[in-house]
Amino acid sequence: MHPLVALFLNALALYAVIGVMTALAFVTFGVTRVQPAPVSLGARILILPGAAALWPYVLKRWIAARGTR
């Protein structure tokens, strides 16, 4: 395998792992801080893939919401 391809795949895997960990933590603890309304289990399941894919944005919003309370 070409070293550049290996680097890209490793970076993609790292992004995915960080995304899944961030999404699980966000769905478990942070979603009610960003959105003050109650969130059902079904809604948390629906939020999970998007939070994993967009974890930098989710983490930014979560940190910003933490500072306002």
Side-chain angles (χ1 to χ4, degrees):
M1 183 181 303
H2 195 273
L4 196 56
V5 174
L7 177 67
F8 176 74
L9 291 176
N10 286 334
L12 188 63
L14 180 63
Y15 186 89
V17 168
I18 293 172
V20 168
M21 291 183 346
T22 303
L24 287 173
F26 176 73
V27 167
T28 305
F29 303 111
V31 71
T32 55
R33 293 179 194 237
V34 174
Q35 175 158 346
V39 181
S40 68
L41 178 63
R44 290 174 193 260
I45 292 170
L46 289 174
I47 291 170
L48 188 65
L54 301 172
W55 69 265
Y57 179 70
V58 168
L59 196 57
K60 179 181 160 191
R61 291 278 312 262
W62 190 6
I63 291 170
R66 185 177 173 198
T68 60
R69 291 185 181 218

